[in-house]
Amino acid sequence: MLNPPAETPTLPSIEKMNFGTKLAYGAGDVGVAIVEILLLSYLSPFLTDVARLTPGLAGWTQLVARVWDAFLDPVIGIMSDRGNVFGAKIKAQWGRRYPWMLLAAVPFGLLFICQWLIPFPASNQWGLFGFYTVVSMFLGIFSTMYSLPYTALTAELTEDYNERTSLNSFRFTFSLGGSIVALLIARTVFQQVKDPAQQYLTIGIICAIISVIPIFYCVWGTQARAKLVNRLQSARVEDTVSLPLTAQLRSVFTNRAFMCVVGIYLCSWFSLQLTAAIIPYFAVSWMGLKQADSPLIILAVQGTALGMLSVWSKISQKVGKKAVYFMGTGFWIISQAGLFLLQPGQNLQLYLLAILAGLGVSTAYLVPWSMLPDVIELDELETGQRREGLFYSFMVFLQKICLGVALAVILQSLEWTGYISPTATVLAPIQPPAVLLAIRLAIGPIPTISLIGGLILAYFYPITRERHQQILLQLAERRKEL
């Protein structure tokens, strides 16, 4: 596995992507990254500690919104594959993906701001529950309308095995950079603004503005490349996705390579997102840190992950995607297991473990999304159809269901074990031992087990660099015959 790949036949290809196209594509993930990291890290404590929603209802509002969002993903994915939703004229000018991205941009930002409003007093629990659930559902709609077509562009901008890894390294450099910017903004606001409600609303407004602008830059900077690929690969007919939905689902879930990638992605991102969601509670309730310190922990993870993206990308070109995933996840497992053993006051060890986790988190960003376009080409070889939107949507669909259930269970466990919400006079109440154990289990053993599952699935992933080259050669031969 560690030897350099053998020489493979040259494929008919177009000119490689220039730096400007990669830069524009990468910038497109900034907004989604900012919104995701803030929702993951701070929506739960905002709902329980500031809006004063009970942990149980806070968990239910996130579960309902994420399940709704998850079931919406395949619908939008299939519709964006067909490409005729907005009419032939708009499709001819903008392609299959870009109309969705442009339509979603502004509502996406406005709804993110609404997520941090407090429209009812704490006594009106069902009013708060209804408001946050509806806002989250609509935010999910517009987030999906943008993010699914955006991620599906990876397979449409290049077919090159290594260039896809490079493209995703640009994407996740901006993604991690956006996360870091959001966390720095959050820390600054937490330090400068005293009122908790104003803290979160200020963060929401600033980050919403920053999130929307890169969407338009991404469309502007990548559209010419996407048109060029579609024109030169004219044998690939965009509107061939005509199988009935049940037949499409059957072929997707019997695709061994896809199920391996889905499993790798689920295990990695479940661990990442569950940890991000529980860190604010872990930092304050177990480690005894201040609220403004929790962004620093996540910054240590994200900053390390950002710095390692280019390193892992270069290593991947020599040893392959699977080997890189094994390396990074090994560091990550050590970190997650270590977090469970930490004791209050061991702050230096906490940050060292966060840095160690960042080594693995970087591969969670890079590897699954680099594998998926290869799976899409295998599917095209087997079915004769291009279904990027379907594959991307079902990958995210399963992840959102899994995360929604996990967040609901974690928050419900806090309520069952007697979580005490902060007050104006007691900002960090001493939590019962059962609450502290629930928090530690959520940050240590549960993510560790999930990561081990990801390693097992990565071992069985069947598409090597050589196999991918064979797939592309067979596709090229087929297109010549058409």
Side-chain angles (χ1 to χ4, degrees), residues 203-232:
I203 293 168
I205 292 172
I206 295 172
C207 290
I209 295 171
I210 297 174
S211 297
V212 170
I213 295 173
I215 294 176
F216 297 101
Y217 172 57
C218 174
V219 173
W220 174 80
T222 62
Q223 191 187 11
R225 169 72 183 194
K227 285 183 176 180
L228 175 64
V229 173
N230 285 329
R231 185 169 66 250
L232 295 181

Side-chain angles (χ1 to χ4, degrees), residues 413-460:
S413 71
L414 294 183
E415 183 164 324
W416 288 337
T417 52
Y419 178 76
I420 303 172
S421 297
T423 65
T425 54
V426 183
L427 298 179
I430 298 175
Q431 300 294 341
V435 171
L436 297 176
L437 179 60
I439 292 172
R440 294 174 66 212
L441 288 173
I443 205 169
I446 296 175
T448 300
I449 294 170
S450 181
L451 290 172
I452 293 172
L455 288 179
I456 294 172
L457 289 165
Y459 178 79
F460 291 102

Side-chain angles (χ1 to χ4, degrees), residues 147-167:
S147 60
L148 271 178
Y150 167 74
T151 53
L153 283 175
T154 308
E156 298 187 359
L157 292 173
T158 181
E159 290 182 335
D160 184 84
Y161 184 88
N162 288 327
E163 196 167 46
R164 280 177 176 166
T165 304
S166 173
L167 186 63

Side-chain angles (χ1 to χ4, degrees), residues 86 202 207 221 322 387 431:
F86 298 98
T202 301
C207 290
K322 185 190 295 189
R387 301 184 295 174
Q431 300 294 341

Side-chain angles (χ1 to χ4, degrees), residues 122-355:
S123 57
N124 189 351
Q125 287 286 294
W126 289 108
L128 289 170
F129 172 79
F131 175 78
Y132 291 121
T133 301
V134 170
V135 169
S136 294
M137 289 172 69
F138 276 93
L139 178 59
I141 291 174
F142 288 100
S143 175
T144 299
M145 284 175 60
Y146 170 73
S147 60
L148 271 178
Y150 167 74
T151 53
L153 283 175
T154 308
E156 298 187 359
L157 292 173
T158 181
E159 290 182 335
D160 184 84
Y161 184 88
N162 288 327
E163 196 167 46
R164 280 177 176 166
T165 304
S166 173
L167 186 63
N168 275 293
S169 71
F170 271 80
R171 173 189 170 188
F172 292 120
T173 295
F174 277 93
S175 178
L176 288 164
S179 299
I180 290 170
V181 168
L183 293 168
L184 289 172
I185 291 171
R187 175 170 169 76
T188 301
V189 172
F190 284 144
Q191 290 178 323
Q192 300 298 322
V193 180
K194 301 304 179 185
D195 179 64
Q198 287 300 315
Q199 286 176 344
Y200 286 99
L201 183 57
T202 301
I203 293 168
I205 292 172
I206 295 172
C207 290
I209 295 171
I210 297 174
S211 297
V212 170
I213 295 173
I215 294 176
F216 297 101
Y217 172 57
C218 174
V219 173
W220 174 80
T222 62
Q223 191 187 11
R225 169 72 183 194
K227 285 183 176 180
L228 175 64
V229 173
N230 285 329
R231 185 169 66 250
L232 295 181
Q233 301 285 359
S234 56
R236 178 185 302 158
V237 181
E238 289 187 357
D239 291 326
T240 56
V241 183
S242 55
L243 289 175
L245 179 58
T246 53
Q248 293 196 50
L249 298 183
R250 192 181 307 113
S251 67
V252 165
F253 287 103
T254 55
N255 186 317
R256 177 190 165 197
F258 176 64
M259 296 310 296
C260 285
V261 173
V262 165
I264 294 167
Y265 177 74
L266 280 179
C267 291
S268 300
W269 281 77
F270 172 78
S271 301
L272 172 61
Q273 293 176 320
L274 181 61
T275 303
I278 206 69
I279 273 180
Y281 296 103
F282 180 78
V284 174
S285 298
W286 176 250
M287 297 300 295
L289 301 174
K290 296 179 180 179
Q291 181 194 43
D293 293 326
S294 64
L296 293 178
I297 303 170
I298 308 174
L299 275 169
V301 177
Q302 299 291 78
T304 304
L306 175 61
M308 285 299 297
L309 272 179
S310 61
V311 177
W312 288 128
S313 180
K314 291 178 180 178
I315 296 175
S316 175
Q317 293 178 20
K318 295 183 178 181
V319 302
K321 299 169 186 178
K322 185 190 295 189
V324 161
Y325 182 77
F326 269 88
M327 295 176 195
T329 305
F331 291 118
W332 195 355
I333 287 173
I334 295 171
S335 173
Q336 294 289 164
L339 286 172
F340 179 75
L341 302 175
L342 276 182
Q343 298 300 310
Q346 294 181 327
N347 297 338
L348 176 60
Q349 293 92 324
L350 172 61
Y351 286 106
L352 290 175
L353 288 173
I355 292 171

